Structures are given as C-alpha cells and as structure tokens.
C-alpha cells in the first residue's frame, strides 16, 4: 500500500487523447525519473495527478497509499500527500513567501490549532540556508520578479516545508544554471528517505547526474514504453530521442 | 419631504462672527447648489453613474451626540496611536481636538478647527478656504458644502518645518439622517513636511447619512505632504469627496485613498501641477460589494514642465457592485518633459459585478511621457490552481490573492500600524464574502 499508483489512465484535452492507458507504480523510498520527448504527455500527467480541472479523464485511477485522489480538488490531493513542483511556478503579487507557506501549513492543522511563529521561522530560515536563499526573500511576493533559478529554489523550499509523501517534479531543471541545479538537487537529495517517493520529470539527463534515480522510465506518445536502471538515462542522452521514436513508434 | 437646501437654510452654518467674505462665499455656494442642474446621464462627467440612485433630500445637519455616544466614538478613534495631533468630529460637532506639541506650536505650525482658524487667521483663510474645486462635475455639491461647512481642520506648516508623525482627523456620523460637510485644508509652505490621515466612519451599521466632504491641499516649493483617506462609512451613507492637490515647484505629494463603505460614493480627485519638478502620486484601493457603487473621477493637470504624476487605482468587486473609473491627464502646452501615468485595475470576483473604465489623455505639449491603461479581469485560474496545489483551500487562496492585489497600495502607507489596521478593515469586509 505504500505506493503512488497510476493505473490505466486515459486522459484527453479538447478531444485529443494525451495519456493512453498510462500506468506507473512508485513505492515510497524510490526516485523514479520520467523522460521523454516534448509533447509526449509528461506535464499533462503531472497536472492530472495534482487535480487540474482542464483535463478530461476518460478512465483509470490514481491512488496514494491506497487512497483515491483522481477527481479530488487540488487542495485535497495536496493534503493526501502529493506535491507538484511546477515547471513554470506562478507569480502571486502581494503574497509573501512566508505568508504563503504559513497558509499552506495552517490548512493542514486540525481545527483550533495554530502555527508557532517562532518555530516556523526557525525552520523556514534553516531550509532557506540549505537552499542558499537569502532570508530577505521571506518578505518578497511569491515568485514575483524572481529569476528562473530563484523560482525553482522556491519550489523546493515549499516542498521541504510541506513535507509531502510523494513529490512530482515537473522539469525542475529547466531554466537552471549548473550552480542552481546543484543546489536544487542537494535540496531534493536531503529529502530522500524511506517515507517519500519521487517522480522526477525531465527532458534532459543532466538533472539525473545529481538526483540519481532508482528507475528510469521512457515515455512516448502517452505511455511508458521502456524502463530501466539509472544508466538508461545516459543511454537516452547519447542515442537521443529519435532512437525512442524509431524503436517504439510502431508499437505506440 | 423637505429638500436639503431648505434644511440647510433652516439651520445656517454661518455664525454672527464670520467674516463678510465667508458669508458671501456661503451665499454663492448655496446659489450654485440651487441653480445648477442635478447630475444627468448625458453629462460626460457623470457617465455610467447611476444618477437616479443619488438621494440627498431628507438629510439635515443634526445636534451634537450625547456624552456617552461621544465617549464611545472617541474610544473608537484609534487607528493611529503615534501621532502629532488628533481631531474627532461627530455629525460635524467637534468631540476633541488634541493639539500640537509646544515645540510645533513654537515653530508656527497651526492645527486648528476650521471655526477657530477663521477667527484667529482670517487672512490666511480668505486666501485658501473654499477657493478650489475639482472641475470634475460636482460644482453643485461643492456649493452645498460651502454653504454648510461647520466642521473640519486647518493644518498650516510654515517654511522648512517638518512634522514626522501624522495628524489624524476622524469624522463620524451618528444621528439618523444627518448631513455632514467635513473639510480638510492643508497648507504646506516651502520645504515643509507633514502627513495627514482623514478617517470617515459611521457609529452604527444603520444610521443613514449624507456626506459632502472637501479637501484642499496646497504644497508649495519643495513641500512634502502625504495624505491618506480611509472612507469606511456604513452602507446607509451617500458620500461625496471632492479633493484637490495643488503642487508647486519640486513639491512631493502622495494621496492614498482606501474606499470601503457607502451605498454610493463619489470620489473626485484633482491634481494640479503648477511648479516644475513636482511629483504627485495618487493611489486608491476600493472594495465594492452588494449594491455599492464607487464613482471615481480623477484629473491630473500638468501646467508646468519636468513634473511627474502617477496614478494607480485598484478596485475589487463582489456581488452586484459597480465601480466607475474615469481619469483624465491634461498636459498644457508648455509642460514639456512631463511624466504622467494612469493605471486602473479592476478585479471582478463575481460575474454580476460591473467595472467601468474611462481613461483619457489630452496632451498639448510635444515632449512628454504619458501612459494610461485600464484592465478588468477575474482571479487567475492558474494562480488559484497553484495555491490550491499547496493545500490552501479555494476560499483562502482567493482571499490571499485579493489581499495580494491590494498589497501593492497598502505597502505604500508608510505607517505599519495604519497599514495593518487597513488590512484588517479589508479582511473584515471579505471574511464571509469569498466562498
């Protein structure tokens, strides 16, 4: 039961089929990478898992530790333990990082309990230090005017403050220079452990040099066509996605 | 039904000791009120306003509140605790006038009730009092104000004097059917510095009232003035605020308005730049709900070169509420190197709400930077999804986004206590609303 399980998921948008009988199981304690060419449905998968309402789910199921999350509201899915690090984090003017994370934490507390501000800031500052984020950022509006690297660090900061059971990271490496990539990866690696599962979605192998996966899946045309150990990422990098297309286009 | 002008004439505001020029100005005002036609739909300066909903008859000036009421209102006049002075009025009667420190008095600063200022400084008052109108369509109501004004404050800051803490004026309505005519006159001489907060509130949720307030701000060379207005009348109030700013050379003026209350609120704000290098900011935030109508008319006039005026009006609308923003920038022929900006942002939280925007430019100089823009939109669905993905419930996420929308202006308040009190006022209005 300690798994994130996606079973035979069929999803379309505006009549076009995007995910085709997609299945994937991620046990807690493992990091799975999902690689594939652009337009193959990786980001759709991430959004559907998080409860985005724009997609039409035809059939299939998604469970977290046995609990159904498909069709639930995004906040309920988050409470069930799923965190999505966005490829393009939204800018929210006028809402400070600290207040935002506090609101997210407060929403998880039982009725009548409140957050201890001193402990909250202590923890927040510690995690910002880990991510090499200036503490002054707490008062800044969420992602407002942030560089690409700052936005991604801020995603990892939220992820670590919210302590999810399953982390979905959608193209976290896009827009990062090598230093930011290392910092962000260290932040993720600090969170790895037996009680948490990861799905790292990426187009490039580069991120996987720093976040070494237990399993690599290759996605093509709406489904997983091939899975293997961490070395599969390097193989993909050297052979390129044309190899995927040539090998799997016929079966897809 | 008795008309308001009959009520005014039955209880004249002028006293026997008033100077002749004032008696004349009052008489001219009343004549103006009686002869000018009421606002009409086809009047460009009243476009989109529901003029049919304007009800001003049946109100009349009323007596002073009871000592117990007065005490309660004084206790509630507490939005700003660090201040250089405070005045509290109810139904146009002065409840308290906390004057200035000896030091400021010695420097020649005047902070007085209008009635006292008329007695003690008639020449100064003759020069400035009831002399400036907004040119935005409410001359009729300005006339009524002139005829009826009995409560208000004068703040006069002599050359080079700086006052760090704000002067805080409270204007309450209390009696059923009262008509009030608050007046704030600010005269800042060369290089003087001051800030003023005007707070308009009702004693209860029910007491009906008519407010016709006027504020005239004069900032001389290099003067720095920050005026904040909190309009928190109850929803049984019809309100007019007719505010002007005249900025001299290198003057720096900020106007910031927070609009929460009234059934119907007309807010006119004119800035006239008369000296080169002046810099005037005009900020406003409005929370509109139920059947409220906020009718905002602004005018940025540049009569001198190298000056800046920057306007930002943000409105959030719920239910069947309406807002009208009509803004004009006018740059005179010689006012080269003008920077004039005007931005109106409307956030529609319910499909039944209605935001109207009428931005306008009239530029007679050829070397200027001017921009105007108005946007009207809903809460962003992607932003909402993002916040909810963090586990924040929909309603809380919407609240955070709305408060965030206003924060751009609130953070300019420059007084943490007042800023926090304003946040609370806005939060209170939204508490049960966003569901």
């Amino acid at each position: 039961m300690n798994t994130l399980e996606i079973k035979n998921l069929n999803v379309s948008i505006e009549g076009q089929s995007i995910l085709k009988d997609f299945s994937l199981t991620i046990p807690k304690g493992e990091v799975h990478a999902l690689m594939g060419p652009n337009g193959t449905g990786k980001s759709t998968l991430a959004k559907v898992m998080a409860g985005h309402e724009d997609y039409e789910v035809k059939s299939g199921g998604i469970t977290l530790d046995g609990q159904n999350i498909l069709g639930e509201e995004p906040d309920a899915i988050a409470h069930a333990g799923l965190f999505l690090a966005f490829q393009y984090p939204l800018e929210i003017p006028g809402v400070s990082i600290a207040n935002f994370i506090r609101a997210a934490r407060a929403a998880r507390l039982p009725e009548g309990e409140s957050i201890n501000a001193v402990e909250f800031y202590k923890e927040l500052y510690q995690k910002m230090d880990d991510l090499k984020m200036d503490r002054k950022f707490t008062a800044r509006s969420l992602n407002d005017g942030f560089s690409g690297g700052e936005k991604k660090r801020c995603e990892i900061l939220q992820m670590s403050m919210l302590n999810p059971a399953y982390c979905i990271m959608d193209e976290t490496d896009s827009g990062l220079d090598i230093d930011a990539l290392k910092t962000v990866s260290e932040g993720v690696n600090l969170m790895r452990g037996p009680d948490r599962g990861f799905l790292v979605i990426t187009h490039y192998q580069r991120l996987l040099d720093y976040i070494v996966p237990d399993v690599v899946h290759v996605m093509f045309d709406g489904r997983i066509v091939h899975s293997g150990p961490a070395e599969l990422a390097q193989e993909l990098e050297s052979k390129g996605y044309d190899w995927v297309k040539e090998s799997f286009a016929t079966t897809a | 039904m008795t008309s308001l002008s009959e009520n005014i004439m039955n209880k004249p505001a002028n006293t026997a000791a008033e100077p002749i020029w004032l008696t004349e100005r009052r008489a001219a005002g009343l004549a103006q009120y009686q002869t000018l036609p009421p606002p009409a739909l086809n009047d460009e300066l009243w476009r989109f306003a529901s003029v049919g909903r304007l009800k001003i008859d049946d109100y009349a000036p009323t007596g002073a509140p009871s000592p117990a009421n007065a005490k309660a209102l004084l206790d509630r006049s507490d939005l700003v605790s660090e201040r250089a002075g405070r005045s509290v009025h109810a139904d146009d009667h002065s409840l308290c006038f906390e004057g200035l420190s000896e030091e400021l008095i010695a420097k020649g600063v005047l902070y007085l009730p209008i009635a006292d200022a008329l007695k003690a400084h008639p020449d100064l008052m003759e020069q400035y009092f009831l002399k400036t109108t907004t040119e935005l369509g409410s001359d009729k109501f300005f006339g009524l104000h002139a005829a009826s004004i009995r409560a208000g404050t004068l703040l006069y800051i002599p050359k080079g004097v700086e006052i760090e803490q704000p002067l805080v004026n409270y204007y309450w309505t209390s009696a059923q059917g009262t008509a009030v005519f608050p007046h704030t006159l600010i005269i800042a001489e060369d290089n003087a510095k001051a800030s003023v907060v005007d707070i308009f509130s009702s004693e209860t949720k029910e007491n009906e009232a008519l407010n016709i307030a006027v504020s005239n701000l004069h900032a001389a060379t290099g003067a720095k003035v920050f005026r904040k207005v909190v309009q928190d009348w109850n929803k049984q109030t019809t309100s007019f605020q007719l505010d002007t700013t005249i900025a001299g050379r290198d003057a720096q003026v900020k106007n910031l308005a927070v609009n929460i209350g009234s059934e119907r609120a007309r807010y006119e704000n004119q800035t006239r730049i008369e000296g080169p290098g002046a810099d005037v900011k005009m900020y406003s935030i409005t929370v509109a709900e139920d059947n409220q109508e906020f009718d905002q008319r602004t005018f940025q006039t540049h009569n001198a070169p190298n000056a800046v005026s920057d306007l930002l009006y943000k409105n959030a609308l719920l239910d069947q509420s309406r807002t009208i923003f009509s803004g004009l920038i006018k740059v005179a022929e010689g006012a080269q190197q003008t920077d004039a900006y005007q931005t109106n942002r409307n956030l529609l939280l319910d499909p039944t709400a209605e935001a109207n925007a009428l931005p306008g430019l009239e530029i007679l100089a050829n070397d200027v930077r001017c921009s105007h823009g108005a946007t009207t939109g809903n809460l962003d669905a992607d932003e909402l999804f993002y916040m909810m993905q963090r586990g924040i419930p929909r309603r809380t996420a919407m609240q955070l986004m709305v408060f965030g929308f206003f924060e751009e202006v609130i953070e300019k308040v420059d007084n943490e206590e007042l800023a926090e009190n304003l946040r609370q006022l806005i939060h209170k209005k939204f508490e049960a609303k966003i569901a």
Side-chain angles (χ1 to χ4, degrees), chain A residues 50 52 73-75 78-79 82-84 86 91-95 100 104 107-108 142-143 155 158, chain B residues 380-394 396 400-401 403-405 407-408 411:
Chain A
H52 199 289
E73 286 281 300
D75 55 327
H79 291 191
L82 186 129
F83 183 96
L84 170 62
F86 281 55
E91 300 188 3
I92 317 280
V95 179
F100 181 66
R108 287 165 168 78
L142 186 62
N143 297 323
E155 291 293 286
Q158 294 169 46
Chain B
D380 185 279
D382 289 328
E383 291 176 20
L384 194 59
F385 172 67
Y386 181 66
M387 297 180 86
M388 288 178 74
Q389 206 299 305
R390 299 309 182 236
I392 299 174
R394 185 180 297 273
T396 313
L400 282 171
M401 286 163 76
F403 301 154
F405 174 75
E407 197 58 27
E408 186 184 358
E411 68 190 12

Side-chain angles (χ1 to χ4, degrees), chain A residues 181-196:
Chain A
L181 187 72
K182 282 183 189 168
T183 313
V184 162
S185 302
E186 278 164 26
V188 172
N189 288 329
L190 278 174
M191 290 180 69
R192 287 178 81 156
D195 296 328
R196 190 170 286 130

